[in-house]
Amino acid sequence: MARLLDKAQVEYELIPYEVDESDLSAIHVATQLGEDVELVFKTIVLHGDKSGFFVCVVPGEHEIDLKKAAKVSGNKKCELLPLKELLPTTGYIRGGCSPIGMKKHFPTYLHESAAEHAQIYISAGMRGLQVKLSPADLLKECNGQSADLITD
Protein backbone atom coordinates (compact mmCIF):
# COMPACT_ATOMS: atom_id res chain seq x y z
CA MET A 1 0.00 0.00 0.00
CA ALA A 2 2.78 2.45 0.90
CA ARG A 3 4.52 1.67 -2.41
CA LEU A 4 1.37 2.69 -4.28
CA LEU A 5 1.20 5.98 -2.38
CA ASP A 6 4.92 6.60 -2.99
CA LYS A 7 4.49 5.89 -6.70
CA ALA A 8 1.56 8.33 -6.85
CA GLN A 9 3.63 10.89 -4.91
CA VAL A 10 0.97 11.12 -2.23
CA GLU A 11 1.95 12.74 1.04
CA TYR A 12 1.17 10.40 3.93
CA GLU A 13 2.37 9.23 7.31
CA LEU A 14 2.45 5.64 8.61
CA ILE A 15 1.54 5.42 12.28
CA PRO A 16 1.83 2.22 14.31
CA TYR A 17 -0.52 1.43 17.18
CA GLU A 18 -0.93 -1.33 19.77
CA VAL A 19 -3.24 -4.09 18.51
CA ASP A 20 -5.81 -5.71 20.79
CA GLU A 21 -7.03 -8.89 19.04
CA SER A 22 -10.20 -8.80 21.17
CA ASP A 23 -10.98 -5.20 20.13
CA LEU A 24 -10.33 -4.32 16.47
CA SER A 25 -12.69 -1.33 16.59
CA ALA A 26 -11.90 2.12 15.26
CA ILE A 27 -12.61 3.46 18.75
CA HIS A 28 -9.71 1.36 20.09
CA VAL A 29 -7.48 2.54 17.23
CA ALA A 30 -8.39 6.19 17.88
CA THR A 31 -7.61 5.78 21.58
CA GLN A 32 -4.25 4.20 20.75
CA LEU A 33 -3.47 7.05 18.32
CA GLY A 34 -4.64 9.70 20.78
CA GLU A 35 -6.96 11.05 18.08
CA ASP A 36 -10.65 11.89 17.77
CA VAL A 37 -12.53 8.80 16.55
CA GLU A 38 -14.13 11.02 13.84
CA LEU A 39 -10.73 10.97 12.08
CA VAL A 40 -10.39 7.17 12.05
CA PHE A 41 -12.19 5.59 9.10
CA LYS A 42 -12.95 1.92 8.60
CA THR A 43 -13.02 0.07 5.29
CA ILE A 44 -16.08 -2.07 4.59
CA VAL A 45 -16.37 -4.37 1.58
CA LEU A 46 -19.87 -5.06 0.29
CA HIS A 47 -21.50 -7.03 -2.49
CA GLY A 48 -24.29 -5.45 -4.51
CA ASP A 49 -26.99 -7.33 -6.41
CA LYS A 50 -26.04 -5.53 -9.65
CA SER A 51 -22.50 -4.18 -9.36
CA GLY A 52 -20.78 -6.98 -7.46
CA PHE A 53 -18.12 -5.93 -4.96
CA PHE A 54 -17.61 -2.34 -3.83
CA VAL A 55 -15.91 -0.57 -0.94
CA CYS A 56 -17.18 1.98 1.57
CA VAL A 57 -14.91 3.97 3.88
CA VAL A 58 -16.83 5.37 6.83
CA PRO A 59 -16.09 7.11 10.14
CA GLY A 60 -15.15 4.39 12.61
CA GLU A 61 -17.82 4.75 15.25
CA HIS A 62 -20.72 4.91 12.77
CA GLU A 63 -22.75 2.12 11.22
CA ILE A 64 -22.95 1.86 7.46
CA ASP A 65 -26.44 2.35 6.04
CA LEU A 66 -26.86 -0.54 3.59
CA LYS A 67 -29.73 1.19 1.77
CA LYS A 68 -27.64 4.32 1.18
CA ALA A 69 -24.62 2.23 0.15
CA ALA A 70 -26.75 0.24 -2.31
CA LYS A 71 -28.27 3.38 -3.82
CA VAL A 72 -24.95 5.23 -4.27
CA SER A 73 -23.37 2.16 -5.88
CA GLY A 74 -26.22 1.58 -8.32
CA ASN A 75 -27.66 -1.47 -6.56
CA LYS A 76 -31.13 -2.29 -5.28
CA LYS A 77 -29.62 -4.04 -2.27
CA CYS A 78 -26.24 -4.98 -0.89
CA GLU A 79 -24.74 -7.02 1.90
CA LEU A 80 -21.50 -7.13 3.83
CA LEU A 81 -18.87 -9.41 2.39
CA PRO A 82 -18.71 -12.55 4.57
CA LEU A 83 -15.57 -12.47 6.71
CA LYS A 84 -14.25 -15.72 5.24
CA GLU A 85 -14.28 -14.10 1.78
CA LEU A 86 -12.41 -10.93 2.82
CA LEU A 87 -8.85 -12.25 2.42
CA PRO A 88 -9.40 -14.08 -0.90
CA THR A 89 -11.32 -11.11 -2.35
CA THR A 90 -9.18 -8.20 -1.14
CA GLY A 91 -5.85 -9.64 0.03
CA TYR A 92 -6.50 -8.11 3.47
CA ILE A 93 -7.71 -9.43 6.84
CA ARG A 94 -10.31 -8.00 9.24
CA GLY A 95 -8.82 -5.10 11.16
CA GLY A 96 -6.23 -4.57 8.44
CA CYS A 97 -8.28 -3.91 5.33
CA SER A 98 -7.21 -0.83 3.38
CA PRO A 99 -9.15 0.75 0.51
CA ILE A 100 -5.78 1.12 -1.25
CA GLY A 101 -3.97 -1.84 -2.78
CA MET A 102 -6.68 -4.50 -2.86
CA LYS A 103 -6.12 -7.47 -5.19
CA LYS A 104 -8.52 -5.84 -7.67
CA HIS A 105 -9.84 -2.31 -7.90
CA PHE A 106 -13.42 -2.03 -6.69
CA PRO A 107 -15.66 1.05 -6.86
CA THR A 108 -14.91 3.02 -3.69
CA TYR A 109 -17.06 5.48 -1.76
CA LEU A 110 -15.74 7.70 1.03
CA HIS A 111 -18.20 9.12 3.53
CA GLU A 112 -18.73 12.82 2.88
CA SER A 113 -17.70 13.81 6.43
CA ALA A 114 -14.06 13.07 5.49
CA ALA A 115 -14.02 16.33 3.52
CA GLU A 116 -14.40 18.25 6.81
CA HIS A 117 -10.89 17.14 7.88
CA ALA A 118 -7.46 18.05 6.56
CA GLN A 119 -6.29 14.48 7.18
CA ILE A 120 -7.91 11.19 8.15
CA TYR A 121 -6.66 7.76 9.20
CA ILE A 122 -7.29 4.52 7.32
CA SER A 123 -5.81 1.08 7.70
CA ALA A 124 -2.39 0.72 6.11
CA GLY A 125 -3.22 -2.86 5.14
CA MET A 126 -2.24 -4.64 8.32
CA ARG A 127 -3.30 -4.68 11.94
CA GLY A 128 -1.24 -2.28 14.02
CA LEU A 129 -0.57 0.27 11.29
CA GLN A 130 -2.62 3.25 10.13
CA VAL A 131 -1.93 5.69 7.33
CA LYS A 132 -2.71 9.38 7.78
CA LEU A 133 -3.48 11.22 4.54
CA SER A 134 -5.78 13.84 3.07
CA PRO A 135 -9.27 12.71 2.05
CA ALA A 136 -8.69 14.24 -1.40
CA ASP A 137 -5.58 12.10 -1.90
CA LEU A 138 -7.47 9.01 -0.77
CA LEU A 139 -10.28 9.69 -3.25
CA LYS A 140 -7.77 10.29 -6.03
CA GLU A 141 -5.76 7.15 -5.25
CA CYS A 142 -8.89 4.96 -5.02
CA ASN A 143 -10.59 6.68 -7.94
CA GLY A 144 -13.40 7.06 -5.43
CA GLN A 145 -16.25 9.39 -4.81
CA SER A 146 -17.73 11.10 -1.77
CA ALA A 147 -21.15 9.95 -0.58
CA ASP A 148 -23.57 9.81 2.34
CA LEU A 149 -23.11 6.26 3.67
CA ILE A 150 -23.99 6.18 7.36
CA THR A 151 -27.18 5.86 9.38
CA ASP A 152 -28.55 9.15 10.63
Side-chain angles (χ1 to χ4, degrees):
M1 194 259 343
R3 282 193 298 271
L4 294 171
L5 293 175
D6 289 341
K7 186 177 176 187
Q9 298 181 323
V10 170
E11 197 174 305
Y12 68 96
E13 187 179 347
L14 290 175
I15 302 169
Y17 67 94
E18 192 71 34
V19 177
D20 178 352
E21 295 291 336
S22 67
D23 184 2
L24 298 173
S25 72
I27 295 165
H28 171 76
V29 174
T31 302
Q32 290 293 308
L33 297 173
E35 288 284 3
D36 185 337
V37 72
E38 289 288 327
L39 299 175
V40 178
F41 282 66
K42 60 187 175 187
T43 303
I44 301 171
V45 183
L46 301 110
H47 188 270
D49 62 342
K50 294 182 179 171
S51 71
F53 299 115
F54 65 100
V55 177
C56 291
V57 184
V58 299
E61 85 285 16
H62 291 277
E63 290 296 317
I64 190 160
D65 184 316
L66 294 176
K67 285 189 171 95
K68 289 179 180 178
K71 186 176 178 183
V72 77
S73 62
N75 291 285
K76 281 198 183 295
K77 61 182 179 176
C78 65
E79 59 188 21
L80 298 174
L81 180 69
L83 199 52
K84 67 182 189 310
E85 294 178 30
L86 187 63
L87 182 60
T89 303
T90 66
Y92 291 126
I93 61 170
R94 180 174 174 260
C97 188
S98 177
I100 299 170
M102 290 187 180
K103 283 182 169 183
K104 288 183 183 169
H105 174 75
F106 299 115
T108 302
Y109 305 92
L110 175 62
H111 187 258
E112 59 196 8
S113 68
E116 299 166 12
H117 309 291
Q119 295 193 304
I120 60 170
Y121 294 88
I122 59 167
S123 174
M126 59 188 289
R127 291 178 184 167
L129 195 62
Q130 292 280 300
V131 62
K132 182 179 180 182
L133 76 171
S134 79
D137 283 340
L138 176 58
L139 283 172
K140 187 175 168 190
E141 189 58 28
C142 291
N143 194 21
Q145 62 189 65
S146 184
D148 179 12
L149 300 165
I150 59 176
T151 53
D152 295 322

